[in-house]
Amino acid sequence: MPRVVRGSTWSARLGGLAMAACLFGALPALALDGIVEKKVFEMPSYTTVGGGTIKNVRIGWESYGKLNEAKDNVILITHFFSGNSHAAGRYKAEDAAPGYWDSIIGPGKPLDTDKYFIISSDTLVNLSPKDPTVVTTGPASINPDTGKPYGMSFPIVTIKDFVNVQKALIDSLGIKSLQAVMGGSMGSLQAFEWAADHPDMVKRLIAVIGGPEADPFLIGWLNLWAAPIKLDPNWNNGDYYGKAEPKAGLTEALKLVTLHARHWKWADAAFGRKWAEEGKDPKAAMGNQYAIEAWLDKAASGRAAVSDANHFLYLVKANQTFVTGNGASLEDGLAKIKAPVLLIPSADDLVFPPDRNMRPLKDRLEKQGNAVEYTEAITSTLGHLDGVANIAKAGETITQFLAK
Amino acid sequence: MPRVVRGSTWSARLGGLAMAACLFGALPALALDGIVEKKVFEMPSYTTVGGGTIKNVRIGWESYGKLNEAKDNVILITHFFSGNSHAAGRYKAEDAAPGYWDSIIGPGKPLDTDKYFIISSDTLVNLSPKDPTVVTTGPASINPDTGKPYGMSFPIVTIKDFVNVQKALIDSLGIKSLQAVMGGSMGSLQAFEWAADHPDMVKRLIAVIGGPEADPFLIGWLNLWAAPIKLDPNWNNGDYYGKAEPKAGLTEALKLVTLHARHWKWADAAFGRKWAEEGKDPKAAMGNQYAIEAWLDKAASGRAAVSDANHFLYLVKANQTFVTGNGASLEDGLAKIKAPVLLIPSADDLVFPPDRNMRPLKDRLEKQGNAVEYTEAITSTLGHLDGVANIAKAGETITQFLAK
């Protein structure tokens, strides 16, 4: 039986905060930079779509707002490739930054925590098992049958497996319908899968910077993202736990993700052709770099410190194999979706170019009878990453879509 | 003193072919799938812009058409990152494919060999020193001072160095003016440099799928292209000659170049979501691939067999450091260009996106008084590679531009 552990909920804590605020005067507009707590959902065993068995499944989750009595005010947030369930708020008041979509989640915001109970969960094989705020199960987890990390013996998992585990979490809370499933990038893949697998349960679908399948060009790119890991001799076919880890390969893999998710507009604005170090002309020595190169190294190295190389490879596989509905035909998968759909691409997205993904998808869904709304309002200078950093620009559209 | 060696010219051989054709009937429209020969230009010593010395410089070159008496009917072709001087024709009648721009070079074609003497040269540090048809000087060359390959002790070279060596070749032929310099991608960088460095010599500039500088986003991408080589333990800081070479790293680097130079339209048309092998579902095993992945492996592996990893790294540096005029300011560099300019981007180019490169460049050049023509007619489904494969779509524009 699945069960929820380790969890006084955020809303319970918020109650305490609100009371404290009352003691000292007017109630402030409580944002989610109050206190958010990571909770853990456990399943003694999960059988993957491919028939593999994973024992002792644990995934982290967070919630914002309060579940109403009818348990029908729920929005589920599904996370992106290098993300996790921390979609809003802060764990501690002194946290440098709130969750990634904090700009649209909170009291009075488009995903209004005065109204909705918002759940966000870590996926299986989450990229960052070493991040203390992430709870996931994947190749770096201990296989209870051997007492050692699974490594590459972990079963292949798909986006549908991510959804199946989330469904078990939702079931465990007694929730029978979702006002919306919303996700960005890989989170949008999960959202499409949710809407196809549970059409009577998902009332609305909000897909941001994504697509209904991994297109062939993206399949190729994902292969390239993974390649540096396999080149690192420390990867050792995935058998590196307790030894030197493939940090260099993982860092290069994360540099690829980082740059691919951005855009030349960002590079122009953030760096120009500046050198990494004054006095060190890149023309003067092979090791002298431009500022953007040094930044990529640093950003990716920081990410690599909390990430796992095998998890990266499993995520690549999950993304490459994705077609909505998890069958061979995208058409069949899309046909299962009944919910109204809001599509929010960035016009400059190089990972899921809208010309290939959301623009034709809009037409397809409309043709099969879905209500579809479409906005590129988030487009700014960040390419794919506009879907995280600039989501608030679609805030009014999201508010109206949820109100319908 | 520079000198030209090993060269009966193509035009001399063409004479023989034409005579043979006459013996057997009507003279056919002689295309450059006749006989082209690689010639070699040598310099006993070249001093780089950065002050390094390279002894025994050798670069290959080809020519198509016949140099007139006034020596003023010359067009210079400069090649792309993974290219070489084989721009047109065949070395042997049975060659599978002609040179890369054969569709526009030949009798009656836009670069009309009945009219022009067309020269195309290999660059320094050409990617493929193991290709028997390439002649270049770079890290894989023997340093006459040590009797061993230079490796990473080879001096850093810039696009301006490529141009300087080409200039010495042109000088050695007694040529004092160029009807046009034309190049694609890295070849366009050389063409811009030519026009800035020798404004009284270059009468026209034709830049295809390129830009007047390496923009910051491209600087980042070039770093990522190079990374797999450095991850390969066989790279050994560039000291691998006579030992196991970093073939795996070089192959991954070339996969990045190959995919980046293409487009999702190509991937959709060529592969879709097809599996690499029937019966081997990519969902069933980590090693089971999609067709596009297997194709990338095969294509890059074939290229790697004739390429050199250190040469790749030197090319990356030459491209990253490029600004027209080789100074700090693009404005100053562009101001030196006097020639009329024809810009031919592909609308779908992901390496040199026209929004960042040729579109604003058109405005800049016009503002400073250059005559500028601009066409995206080559745009098809190949992204950056449209500049090679679909150049003939700009044929009429090129013909008219050269006639002005």
Side-chain angles (χ1 to χ4, degrees), chain A residues 152 154 156 158 213-224 227-233 248-249 252 255-257 259-260 262-268 271-273 281-290 292-294 296-297 310 313-314 317 319-323 326-328 350 353 355-356, chain B residues 152 154 156 158 213-224 227-233 248-249 252 255-257 259-260 262-268 271-273 281-290 292-294 296-297 310 313-314 317 319-323 326-328 350 353 355-356:
Chain A
M152 299 300 283
F154 195 78
I156 287 176
T158 59
E213 66 176 352
D215 69 67
F217 199 52
L218 181 58
I219 290 173
W221 277 111
L222 287 162
N223 176 297
L224 299 182
I229 290 170
K230 298 182 195 169
L231 280 172
D232 188 327
E252 292 301 336
K255 279 168 65 178
L256 280 160
V257 179
L259 197 66
H260 201 177
R262 286 170 172 77
H263 195 264
W264 61 258
K265 292 177 189 169
W266 158 82
D268 277 355
F271 303 104
R273 290 185 45 93
D281 183 349
K283 273 184 199 153
M286 289 300 278
N288 290 359
Q289 292 189 314
Y290 288 96
I292 191 172
E293 299 181 273
L296 280 167
D297 283 341
N310 288 335
L313 301 180
Y314 276 75
K317 183 62 105 172
N319 280 273
Q320 286 181 316
T321 57
F322 180 69
V323 175
N326 203 43
L350 297 170
D355 276 350
R356 171 57 175 81
Chain B
M152 298 301 283
F154 195 78
I156 287 177
T158 59
E213 66 176 351
D215 69 68
F217 199 53
L218 182 57
I219 289 173
W221 275 111
L222 287 162
N223 176 296
L224 298 181
I229 289 170
K230 297 182 196 170
L231 280 171
D232 188 327
E252 292 301 336
K255 278 168 66 180
L256 280 161
V257 178
L259 197 66
H260 200 177
R262 284 170 171 78
H263 195 265
W264 61 257
K265 291 177 189 169
W266 159 83
D268 277 353
F271 302 103
R273 290 186 43 94
D281 183 350
K283 274 184 199 154
M286 288 301 278
N288 290 359
Q289 292 189 313
Y290 287 95
I292 190 171
E293 299 180 272
L296 279 167
D297 283 341
N310 289 335
L313 300 180
Y314 276 75
K317 183 62 104 173
N319 281 273
Q320 286 181 316
T321 57
F322 180 68
V323 175
N326 204 44
L350 296 170
D355 275 350
R356 170 58 176 80

Side-chain angles (χ1 to χ4, degrees), chain A residues 30-333:
Chain A
L30 272 171
L32 282 166
D33 47 7
I35 295 298
V36 170
E37 190 175 42
K38 186 74 60 163
K39 290 161 275 195
V40 180
F41 172 69
E42 295 189 336
M43 296 174 81
S45 181
Y46 170 71
T47 302
T48 68
V49 174
T53 301
I54 312 170
K55 294 180 185 170
N56 299 1
V57 169
R58 303 177 80 241
I59 58 161
W61 65 287
E62 304 183 0
S63 62
Y64 326 111
K66 200 172 169 184
L67 184 60
N68 65 10
E69 254 183 68
K71 297 188 174 181
D72 65 359
N73 68 330
V74 181
I75 294 174
L76 176 68
I77 306 286
T78 47
H79 74 68
F80 51 97
F81 189 97
S82 59
N84 60 58
S85 58
H86 195 36
R90 286 176 163 81
Y91 300 122
K92 301 184 298 289
E94 63 268 30
D95 283 357
Y100 66 92
W101 270 348
D102 192 83
S103 64
I104 56 162
I105 302 174
K109 294 182 185 176
L111 274 62
D112 189 346
T113 47
D114 289 339
K115 196 167 169 183
Y116 297 110
F117 180 63
I118 296 157
I119 296 178
S120 176
S121 93
D122 294 328
T123 64
L124 293 169
V125 304
N126 179 286
L127 180 61
S128 305
K130 296 176 192 170
D131 180 334
T133 71
V134 168
V135 181
T136 188
T137 306
S141 305
I142 299 296
N143 178 350
D145 291 343
T146 65
K148 292 176 186 166
Y150 286 96
M152 299 300 283
S153 76
F154 195 78
I156 287 176
V157 288
T158 59
I159 297 293
K160 190 179 178 79
D161 289 302
F162 297 179
V163 168
N164 287 350
V165 173
Q166 287 159 357
K167 173 67 163 50
L169 161 63
I170 296 294
D171 287 347
S172 78
L173 299 171
I175 294 163
K176 299 205 168 9
S177 79
L178 297 168
Q179 289 295 328
V181 180
M182 175 173 181
S185 194
M186 186 181 84
S188 80
L189 311 190
Q190 296 166 69
F192 284 115
E193 190 64 31
W194 259 102
D197 290 356
H198 308 288
D200 298 328
M201 188 171 176
V202 176
K203 293 190 178 168
R204 293 172 194 84
L205 164 54
I206 307 179
V208 184
I209 52 167
E213 66 176 352
D215 69 67
F217 199 52
L218 181 58
I219 290 173
W221 277 111
L222 287 162
N223 176 297
L224 299 182
W225 288 8
I229 290 170
K230 298 182 195 169
L231 280 172
D232 188 327
N234 288 342
W235 178 59
N236 192 30
N237 292 310
D239 179 12
Y240 54 75
Y241 299 104
K243 306 171 198 170
E245 299 210 354
K247 175 88 195 294
L250 180 56
T251 299
E252 292 301 336
L254 290 166
K255 279 168 65 178
L256 280 160
V257 179
T258 302
L259 197 66
H260 201 177
R262 286 170 172 77
H263 195 264
W264 61 258
K265 292 177 189 169
W266 158 82
D268 277 355
F271 303 104
R273 290 185 45 93
K274 277 202 298 272
W275 301 350
E277 284 185 63
E278 210 185 304
K280 293 203 167 176
D281 183 349
K283 273 184 199 153
M286 289 300 278
N288 290 359
Q289 292 189 314
Y290 288 96
I292 191 172
E293 299 181 273
W295 180 87
L296 280 167
D297 283 341
K298 197 176 165 192
S301 181
R303 283 183 165 196
V306 294
S307 299
D308 180 83
N310 288 335
H311 281 228
F312 189 107
L313 301 180
Y314 276 75
L315 280 174
V316 160
K317 183 62 105 172
N319 280 273
Q320 286 181 316
T321 57
F322 180 69
V323 175
T324 296
N326 203 43
S329 155
L330 176 59
E331 201 175 350
D332 292 350

Side-chain angles (χ1 to χ4, degrees), chain B residues 283-359:
Chain B
K283 274 184 199 154
M286 288 301 278
N288 290 359
Q289 292 189 313
Y290 287 95
I292 190 171
E293 299 180 272
W295 181 87
L296 279 167
D297 283 341
K298 198 176 165 192
S301 182
R303 283 183 166 198
V306 294
S307 299
D308 180 83
N310 289 335
H311 281 229
F312 189 107
L313 300 180
Y314 276 75
L315 280 173
V316 160
K317 183 62 104 173
N319 281 273
Q320 286 181 316
T321 57
F322 180 68
V323 175
T324 295
N326 204 44
S329 155
L330 176 59
E331 202 175 350
D332 292 350
L334 291 179
K336 296 178 187 167
I337 298 179
K338 303 296 175 212
V341 180
L342 170 56
L343 301 174
I344 310 179
S346 161
D348 291 335
D349 193 336
L350 296 170
V351 180
F352 285 99
D355 275 350
R356 170 58 176 80
N357 294 286
M358 287 193 174
R359 285 179 202 151

Side-chain angles (χ1 to χ4, degrees), chain B residues 110-132:
Chain B
L111 274 63
D112 188 345
T113 48
D114 289 339
K115 195 168 169 184
Y116 298 110
F117 180 62
I118 296 157
I119 296 178
S120 175
S121 92
D122 295 328
T123 63
L124 293 170
V125 304
N126 180 286
L127 180 61
S128 306
K130 297 176 192 172
D131 180 335

